[in-house]
Amino acid sequence: MAPAPTTPPSLADLPDDVLVQLAARLRTLEDLLLLSSSCRRLNAALTSIPPQPLLRLAVRTAPTFFSPHPHILALAVARPLCEWVAADPDARAPRLIAAMQHGGVGGIVDLAIAARLGITFATLRRVLAARFTVLNPLSAVIDGMVASWRCVDGSWERLEDAATLECNADTAAVQLVLYGELFGGAMDGWLRPRGDGGDGGEEAARRRLAGDVAARIEFVKYCIPTPNIRGNARRTAAAEGRGGEVGGGGGGREQGLRFTVLPVGPYAPEVAEPHVDEERWNHSSLCHLLGGGWFRGAMWKRAWRRLLVAAGAEDDADGGWPAQWRARIAAMAFARGAPNYFAGRGRGRGRGRERGPGQGRWRGGGGWEGSQRVDASVEEEDWRFGLFWNALTQLGGIDGMEMVAQFKGREDGVREVVMREEWKQRILQLRNQALALGDDDKPGARLVPRNYHRFSEGILISEAPCLAAELYVCNGDSCP
């Protein structure tokens, strides 16, 4: 009697650990997806691929699946990289700075691979879904708010023939969200009282160190590059070639040497302009969008004001909104009268011009500090409101920016605002965290040299994350 025919072995007969090792050696993520869709057995085994080989496959696949590249992949690895740096900020924060200096946004992905970090399929789904729910609508918001508008009979019209800001809104939206994903952990540290003992207090301190001013300034310089500070890279290279020391110096144009921009990454001599032409003015556009220094950011403030009103801030629905906060939120309804909130009370351009070069220091949004008195009749809650405002409007990341992305363009004051329950709870949580801080928890200020001759000493900005102030510091000679 002839033996019964046997089925030849196939990939599905291999153990799970062998299948995972084979998957890690595939060429691209597309190969992995095609193989896992061939049968249920392979799908169950290959979807459990470890995070490290999955990230490497995703890098090989980009930019086919992850456009704009490398911004989307950087967004995917930002949170695990933030946690990795916070675990040992003294040793790892310099590595993050070096990665951004030499590789820009791509350097963040390279560091994640070098640190043996990875991503999961859940993370990839979250980021790819955010392209349609957050990034594309937020891109429309940025495009609408940095263009030129005029008010006619109470309604706003776009000026088709007006001079507008050049901006690649798609990458600008990812840069804004990426800042929140990467440094949101640092803001979490500042929103925790320093008096908390035990592991919680130590973790908050590590988070603050992981996202300190130095790392954030380097992120702005090299991940949101601008040709306005390209001259600093040339002067830095020239000084190093002469064997000179870059730094120090007095007033005047030599002050630019104190604002060091290395001739690497987007500022390397072989690069004609930072990144491609359509991205080079994202920096200035984000300055106008968020506000900072003399930039007002009125449209951005009005949009977030409507969200705060929908959450019950203006009428103090739950009795937890201080009167000073409600007054400031109400003031944001005015297009040109809204003060600068990110570091205190703003001052108009005319008053700023009363000062001469070297006669004081500019607080990154709060007024002059020097022989002229700073406009600092500030209530007790003022700096707490600054933390709350920055955490909400600049460091929300994917989850937080979905709130303002719902406008899908310029906020016109007419569109109905949607306030989900989870969004409202997020706003209230940030408010309660800020109000719970004691006087000892107030962030300090750091003097950051700036690429502009008018300020001989530099600009004081908060040690807590504030993208608006950091963009203003790095914006260069295009600022007044």
Short mmCIF file of all heavy atoms in Angstrom, two decimals, residues 134-149 157-160 162-174 176 278 281-282 285-286 288-290 299-300 404-405 407-411:
data_model
loop_
_atom_site.label_atom_id
_atom_site.label_comp_id
_atom_site.label_asym_id
_atom_site.label_seq_id
_atom_site.Cartn_x
_atom_site.Cartn_y
_atom_site.Cartn_z
N VAL A 134 -5.37 65.30 12.40
CA VAL A 134 -4.67 66.42 13.05
C VAL A 134 -3.81 67.20 12.06
O VAL A 134 -3.97 68.41 11.89
CB VAL A 134 -3.79 65.92 14.23
CG1 VAL A 134 -3.08 67.09 14.89
CG2 VAL A 134 -4.63 65.17 15.23
N LEU A 135 -2.88 66.53 11.39
CA LEU A 135 -1.85 67.23 10.62
C LEU A 135 -2.43 67.95 9.41
O LEU A 135 -2.11 69.13 9.17
CB LEU A 135 -0.77 66.24 10.18
CG LEU A 135 0.00 65.57 11.33
CD1 LEU A 135 1.02 64.59 10.79
CD2 LEU A 135 0.67 66.60 12.22
N ASN A 136 -3.26 67.29 8.61
CA ASN A 136 -3.84 67.96 7.45
C ASN A 136 -4.74 69.13 7.84
O ASN A 136 -4.62 70.23 7.28
CB ASN A 136 -4.60 66.97 6.57
CG ASN A 136 -3.66 66.02 5.84
OD1 ASN A 136 -2.45 66.21 5.82
ND2 ASN A 136 -4.21 64.97 5.23
N PRO A 137 -5.65 68.96 8.82
CA PRO A 137 -6.45 70.12 9.25
C PRO A 137 -5.60 71.22 9.88
O PRO A 137 -5.85 72.41 9.66
CB PRO A 137 -7.43 69.52 10.27
CG PRO A 137 -7.49 68.07 9.95
CD PRO A 137 -6.14 67.71 9.44
N LEU A 138 -4.57 70.84 10.66
CA LEU A 138 -3.70 71.85 11.27
C LEU A 138 -2.91 72.59 10.20
O LEU A 138 -2.65 73.80 10.33
CB LEU A 138 -2.75 71.19 12.27
CG LEU A 138 -1.82 72.13 13.05
CD1 LEU A 138 -2.63 73.12 13.88
CD2 LEU A 138 -0.88 71.32 13.94
N SER A 139 -2.53 71.90 9.14
CA SER A 139 -1.87 72.56 8.03
C SER A 139 -2.77 73.64 7.42
O SER A 139 -2.30 74.74 7.08
CB SER A 139 -1.50 71.52 6.96
OG SER A 139 -1.03 72.14 5.78
N ALA A 140 -4.06 73.34 7.29
CA ALA A 140 -5.00 74.34 6.78
C ALA A 140 -5.13 75.52 7.75
O ALA A 140 -5.28 76.67 7.32
CB ALA A 140 -6.36 73.69 6.54
N VAL A 141 -5.07 75.24 9.04
CA VAL A 141 -5.13 76.31 10.05
C VAL A 141 -3.92 77.24 9.89
O VAL A 141 -4.05 78.47 9.88
CB VAL A 141 -5.18 75.72 11.46
CG1 VAL A 141 -4.98 76.81 12.52
CG2 VAL A 141 -6.52 75.02 11.69
N ILE A 142 -2.73 76.65 9.78
CA ILE A 142 -1.52 77.46 9.65
C ILE A 142 -1.55 78.26 8.36
O ILE A 142 -1.23 79.46 8.33
CB ILE A 142 -0.27 76.55 9.70
CG1 ILE A 142 -0.14 75.92 11.10
CG2 ILE A 142 0.99 77.33 9.36
CD1 ILE A 142 0.98 74.92 11.21
N ASP A 143 -1.96 77.62 7.27
CA ASP A 143 -2.02 78.31 6.00
C ASP A 143 -3.00 79.48 6.06
O ASP A 143 -2.76 80.54 5.48
CB ASP A 143 -2.45 77.33 4.90
CG ASP A 143 -2.49 77.97 3.53
OD1 ASP A 143 -1.44 78.45 3.07
OD2 ASP A 143 -3.57 78.00 2.93
N GLY A 144 -4.11 79.30 6.77
CA GLY A 144 -5.08 80.37 6.86
C GLY A 144 -4.66 81.51 7.76
O GLY A 144 -4.99 82.66 7.52
N MET A 145 -3.90 81.19 8.81
CA MET A 145 -3.58 82.21 9.81
C MET A 145 -2.34 83.02 9.50
O MET A 145 -2.17 84.11 10.04
CB MET A 145 -3.43 81.56 11.19
CG MET A 145 -4.73 81.06 11.77
SD MET A 145 -4.55 80.49 13.46
CE MET A 145 -6.23 80.03 13.86
N VAL A 146 -1.45 82.52 8.65
CA VAL A 146 -0.25 83.30 8.35
C VAL A 146 -0.39 84.08 7.06
O VAL A 146 0.53 84.76 6.64
CB VAL A 146 1.01 82.40 8.26
CG1 VAL A 146 1.26 81.68 9.55
CG2 VAL A 146 0.91 81.43 7.09
N ALA A 147 -1.56 84.00 6.40
CA ALA A 147 -1.79 84.79 5.20
C ALA A 147 -2.31 86.17 5.60
O ALA A 147 -2.48 86.48 6.77
CB ALA A 147 -2.79 84.07 4.30
N SER A 148 -2.54 87.02 4.61
CA SER A 148 -3.03 88.37 4.85
C SER A 148 -4.55 88.41 4.74
O SER A 148 -5.14 87.82 3.83
CB SER A 148 -2.42 89.36 3.85
OG SER A 148 -1.04 89.48 4.06
N TRP A 149 -5.17 89.15 5.66
CA TRP A 149 -6.62 89.22 5.71
C TRP A 149 -7.04 90.67 5.95
O TRP A 149 -6.27 91.51 6.38
CB TRP A 149 -7.17 88.35 6.84
CG TRP A 149 -6.85 86.91 6.70
CD1 TRP A 149 -5.66 86.30 7.00
CD2 TRP A 149 -7.70 85.89 6.22
NE1 TRP A 149 -5.73 84.96 6.73
CE2 TRP A 149 -6.97 84.68 6.26
CE3 TRP A 149 -9.01 85.86 5.76
CZ2 TRP A 149 -7.52 83.47 5.85
CZ3 TRP A 149 -9.55 84.66 5.37
CH2 TRP A 149 -8.80 83.48 5.41
N GLU A 157 -11.92 88.73 4.95
CA GLU A 157 -11.69 88.28 3.59
C GLU A 157 -10.19 88.13 3.36
O GLU A 157 -9.40 88.94 3.85
CB GLU A 157 -12.26 89.28 2.58
CG GLU A 157 -13.76 89.43 2.64
CD GLU A 157 -14.26 90.43 1.62
OE1 GLU A 157 -13.40 91.05 0.96
OE2 GLU A 157 -15.49 90.59 1.49
N ARG A 158 -9.82 87.12 2.61
CA ARG A 158 -8.42 86.91 2.29
C ARG A 158 -8.01 87.80 1.12
O ARG A 158 -8.75 87.92 0.14
CB ARG A 158 -8.16 85.45 1.94
CG ARG A 158 -6.70 85.11 1.75
CD ARG A 158 -6.50 83.61 1.72
NE ARG A 158 -5.09 83.27 1.66
CZ ARG A 158 -4.62 82.05 1.89
NH1 ARG A 158 -5.44 81.09 2.21
NH2 ARG A 158 -3.34 81.80 1.81
N LEU A 159 -6.85 88.43 1.23
CA LEU A 159 -6.35 89.30 0.17
C LEU A 159 -5.54 88.46 -0.81
O LEU A 159 -4.43 88.03 -0.51
CB LEU A 159 -5.48 90.42 0.76
CG LEU A 159 -6.18 91.35 1.77
CD1 LEU A 159 -5.22 92.40 2.26
CD2 LEU A 159 -7.39 92.00 1.15
N GLU A 160 -6.09 88.21 -1.97
CA GLU A 160 -5.42 87.35 -2.93
C GLU A 160 -4.16 88.00 -3.50
O GLU A 160 -3.22 87.32 -3.88
CB GLU A 160 -6.38 87.00 -4.07
CG GLU A 160 -7.61 86.24 -3.62
CD GLU A 160 -7.27 84.88 -3.02
OE1 GLU A 160 -6.16 84.37 -3.28
OE2 GLU A 160 -8.11 84.33 -2.29
N ALA A 162 -2.25 90.27 -1.89
CA ALA A 162 -1.40 90.84 -0.84
C ALA A 162 -0.14 90.02 -0.67
O ALA A 162 -0.07 88.84 -1.04
CB ALA A 162 -2.17 90.89 0.48
N ALA A 163 0.86 90.65 -0.09
CA ALA A 163 2.11 89.93 0.22
C ALA A 163 1.85 89.01 1.40
O ALA A 163 1.47 89.46 2.47
CB ALA A 163 3.22 90.92 0.55
N THR A 164 2.04 87.71 1.22
CA THR A 164 1.81 86.74 2.28
C THR A 164 3.12 86.09 2.67
O THR A 164 4.13 86.23 2.00
CB THR A 164 0.81 85.66 1.82
OG1 THR A 164 1.35 85.03 0.66
CG2 THR A 164 -0.53 86.28 1.48
N LEU A 165 3.09 85.38 3.77
CA LEU A 165 4.28 84.68 4.24
C LEU A 165 4.45 83.37 3.50
O LEU A 165 3.50 82.59 3.39
CB LEU A 165 4.17 84.41 5.75
CG LEU A 165 4.24 85.63 6.66
CD1 LEU A 165 3.91 85.22 8.08
CD2 LEU A 165 5.61 86.25 6.62
N GLU A 166 5.66 83.13 3.02
CA GLU A 166 5.95 81.84 2.41
C GLU A 166 6.01 80.79 3.51
O GLU A 166 6.68 80.98 4.53
CB GLU A 166 7.28 81.88 1.67
CG GLU A 166 7.27 82.77 0.44
CD GLU A 166 8.59 82.67 -0.30
OE1 GLU A 166 8.98 81.56 -0.67
OE2 GLU A 166 9.24 83.71 -0.46
N CYS A 167 5.35 79.69 3.28
CA CYS A 167 5.33 78.65 4.32
C CYS A 167 4.90 77.33 3.71
O CYS A 167 3.95 77.28 2.92
CB CYS A 167 4.35 79.05 5.43
SG CYS A 167 4.13 77.81 6.72
N ASN A 168 5.64 76.28 4.02
CA ASN A 168 5.19 74.94 3.69
C ASN A 168 4.36 74.48 4.88
O ASN A 168 4.88 73.99 5.88
CB ASN A 168 6.38 74.01 3.46
CG ASN A 168 5.96 72.62 3.02
OD1 ASN A 168 4.91 72.14 3.39
ND2 ASN A 168 6.78 72.00 2.20
N ALA A 169 3.05 74.68 4.78
CA ALA A 169 2.18 74.45 5.94
C ALA A 169 2.19 72.99 6.39
O ALA A 169 2.00 72.71 7.57
CB ALA A 169 0.75 74.89 5.61
N ASP A 170 2.42 72.06 5.46
CA ASP A 170 2.43 70.64 5.84
C ASP A 170 3.55 70.33 6.81
O ASP A 170 3.34 69.71 7.86
CB ASP A 170 2.54 69.76 4.60
CG ASP A 170 1.31 69.84 3.72
OD1 ASP A 170 0.24 70.21 4.24
OD2 ASP A 170 1.41 69.54 2.52
N THR A 171 4.78 70.75 6.46
CA THR A 171 5.90 70.47 7.36
C THR A 171 5.84 71.37 8.59
O THR A 171 6.26 70.96 9.68
CB THR A 171 7.24 70.67 6.63
OG1 THR A 171 7.28 71.98 6.05
CG2 THR A 171 7.42 69.63 5.55
N ALA A 172 5.33 72.59 8.47
CA ALA A 172 5.21 73.46 9.64
C ALA A 172 4.28 72.85 10.67
O ALA A 172 4.54 72.94 11.89
CB ALA A 172 4.72 74.84 9.22
N ALA A 173 3.21 72.21 10.22
CA ALA A 173 2.29 71.56 11.15
C ALA A 173 2.98 70.43 11.89
O ALA A 173 2.83 70.28 13.12
CB ALA A 173 1.07 71.04 10.39
N VAL A 174 3.78 69.62 11.18
CA VAL A 174 4.49 68.52 11.83
C VAL A 174 5.54 69.07 12.79
O VAL A 174 5.75 68.52 13.88
CB VAL A 174 5.13 67.59 10.79
CG1 VAL A 174 5.76 66.39 11.48
CG2 VAL A 174 4.10 67.11 9.80
N LEU A 176 5.45 71.83 14.51
CA LEU A 176 4.75 72.30 15.71
C LEU A 176 4.33 71.14 16.60
O LEU A 176 4.51 71.17 17.82
CB LEU A 176 3.53 73.12 15.28
CG LEU A 176 2.63 73.66 16.39
CD1 LEU A 176 3.41 74.54 17.35
CD2 LEU A 176 1.46 74.43 15.78
N GLU A 278 10.91 75.58 -0.20
CA GLU A 278 9.55 75.80 0.29
C GLU A 278 9.44 75.66 1.80
O GLU A 278 8.40 75.96 2.37
CB GLU A 278 8.57 74.84 -0.39
CG GLU A 278 8.83 73.36 -0.13
CD GLU A 278 9.69 72.74 -1.21
OE1 GLU A 278 10.39 73.50 -1.91
OE2 GLU A 278 9.65 71.51 -1.34
N TRP A 281 11.02 79.28 5.15
CA TRP A 281 10.37 80.35 5.90
C TRP A 281 9.35 79.82 6.89
O TRP A 281 8.55 80.60 7.42
CB TRP A 281 9.72 81.34 4.92
CG TRP A 281 10.71 82.02 4.04
CD1 TRP A 281 10.81 81.92 2.69
CD2 TRP A 281 11.79 82.87 4.44
NE1 TRP A 281 11.87 82.65 2.21
CE2 TRP A 281 12.48 83.25 3.27
CE3 TRP A 281 12.24 83.35 5.67
CZ2 TRP A 281 13.59 84.08 3.30
CZ3 TRP A 281 13.34 84.18 5.71
CH2 TRP A 281 14.00 84.54 4.53
N ASN A 282 9.35 78.52 7.16
CA ASN A 282 8.45 77.99 8.19
C ASN A 282 8.73 78.64 9.54
O ASN A 282 7.81 78.88 10.33
CB ASN A 282 8.63 76.47 8.33
CG ASN A 282 8.01 75.72 7.17
OD1 ASN A 282 7.53 76.32 6.21
ND2 ASN A 282 8.02 74.40 7.25
N SER A 285 7.09 81.98 9.77
CA SER A 285 5.64 81.80 9.77
C SER A 285 5.15 81.34 11.14
O SER A 285 4.11 81.81 11.62
CB SER A 285 5.24 80.79 8.69
OG SER A 285 5.58 81.26 7.41
N LEU A 286 5.88 80.44 11.78
CA LEU A 286 5.49 79.99 13.11
C LEU A 286 5.64 81.10 14.13
O LEU A 286 4.89 81.16 15.11
CB LEU A 286 6.31 78.77 13.52
CG LEU A 286 5.97 77.47 12.77
CD1 LEU A 286 6.93 76.35 13.15
CD2 LEU A 286 4.53 77.04 13.06
N HIS A 288 5.00 84.28 13.52
CA HIS A 288 3.78 85.07 13.35
C HIS A 288 2.57 84.32 13.89
O HIS A 288 1.65 84.93 14.44
CB HIS A 288 3.58 85.40 11.88
CG HIS A 288 4.45 86.50 11.37
ND1 HIS A 288 4.09 87.81 11.41
CD2 HIS A 288 5.70 86.47 10.83
CE1 HIS A 288 5.06 88.56 10.91
NE2 HIS A 288 6.04 87.77 10.55
N LEU A 289 2.54 83.02 13.73
CA LEU A 289 1.39 82.23 14.17
C LEU A 289 1.25 82.23 15.68
O LEU A 289 0.19 82.54 16.23
CB LEU A 289 1.53 80.79 13.66
CG LEU A 289 0.43 79.83 14.13
CD1 LEU A 289 -0.85 80.09 13.36
CD2 LEU A 289 0.88 78.38 13.96
N LEU A 290 2.35 81.90 16.40
CA LEU A 290 2.29 81.70 17.84
C LEU A 290 2.44 82.98 18.63
O LEU A 290 2.01 83.05 19.78
CB LEU A 290 3.38 80.70 18.27
CG LEU A 290 3.33 79.31 17.63
CD1 LEU A 290 4.48 78.47 18.12
CD2 LEU A 290 2.01 78.63 17.93
N MET A 299 -4.50 85.66 15.81
CA MET A 299 -5.45 84.68 15.28
C MET A 299 -5.36 83.36 16.06
O MET A 299 -6.37 82.71 16.33
CB MET A 299 -5.17 84.44 13.80
CG MET A 299 -5.38 85.66 12.92
SD MET A 299 -5.12 85.25 11.18
CE MET A 299 -5.17 86.91 10.47
N TRP A 300 -4.14 82.96 16.39
CA TRP A 300 -3.94 81.74 17.18
C TRP A 300 -4.60 81.88 18.55
O TRP A 300 -5.24 80.95 19.04
CB TRP A 300 -2.45 81.49 17.31
CG TRP A 300 -2.03 80.21 17.94
CD1 TRP A 300 -1.46 80.07 19.18
CD2 TRP A 300 -2.09 78.89 17.39
NE1 TRP A 300 -1.16 78.75 19.43
CE2 TRP A 300 -1.53 78.00 18.35
CE3 TRP A 300 -2.55 78.38 16.19
CZ2 TRP A 300 -1.43 76.64 18.13
CZ3 TRP A 300 -2.46 77.01 15.97
CH2 TRP A 300 -1.91 76.16 16.92
N VAL A 404 -7.48 72.46 18.10
CA VAL A 404 -7.47 73.65 17.24
C VAL A 404 -7.53 73.27 15.77
O VAL A 404 -7.94 74.08 14.93
CB VAL A 404 -6.20 74.50 17.54
CG1 VAL A 404 -4.96 73.86 16.97
CG2 VAL A 404 -6.36 75.92 17.03
N ALA A 405 -7.16 72.02 15.44
CA ALA A 405 -7.21 71.59 14.04
C ALA A 405 -8.63 71.52 13.51
O ALA A 405 -8.84 71.50 12.29
CB ALA A 405 -6.52 70.23 13.89
N PHE A 407 -10.75 73.73 13.25
CA PHE A 407 -11.16 74.91 12.50
C PHE A 407 -10.84 74.76 11.01
O PHE A 407 -11.46 75.43 10.17
CB PHE A 407 -10.49 76.16 13.06
CG PHE A 407 -10.95 76.51 14.45
CD1 PHE A 407 -10.12 76.35 15.54
CD2 PHE A 407 -12.23 76.96 14.66
CE1 PHE A 407 -10.53 76.65 16.82
CE2 PHE A 407 -12.68 77.27 15.93
CZ PHE A 407 -11.83 77.12 17.02
N LYS A 408 -9.82 73.95 10.67
CA LYS A 408 -9.45 73.66 9.28
C LYS A 408 -9.26 74.95 8.46
O LYS A 408 -9.63 75.02 7.29
CB LYS A 408 -10.51 72.77 8.62
CG LYS A 408 -10.67 71.42 9.29
CD LYS A 408 -11.71 70.57 8.61
CE LYS A 408 -11.87 69.23 9.32
NZ LYS A 408 -12.91 68.39 8.69
N GLY A 409 -8.70 75.93 9.07
CA GLY A 409 -8.48 77.20 8.41
C GLY A 409 -8.48 78.31 9.44
O GLY A 409 -8.31 78.07 10.63
N ARG A 410 -8.70 79.53 8.99
CA ARG A 410 -8.70 80.66 9.90
C ARG A 410 -9.96 80.65 10.75
O ARG A 410 -11.07 80.50 10.24
CB ARG A 410 -8.62 81.95 9.09
CG ARG A 410 -8.45 83.17 9.95
CD ARG A 410 -8.48 84.41 9.08
NE ARG A 410 -8.28 85.58 9.87
CZ ARG A 410 -9.23 86.14 10.61
NH1 ARG A 410 -10.42 85.61 10.64
NH2 ARG A 410 -8.96 87.22 11.32
N GLU A 411 -9.82 80.87 12.05
CA GLU A 411 -10.96 80.93 12.95
C GLU A 411 -11.69 82.25 12.71
O GLU A 411 -11.15 83.33 12.92
CB GLU A 411 -10.48 80.84 14.41
CG GLU A 411 -11.57 80.51 15.39
CD GLU A 411 -12.47 81.69 15.68
OE1 GLU A 411 -11.97 82.76 16.06
OE2 GLU A 411 -13.70 81.53 15.51
#
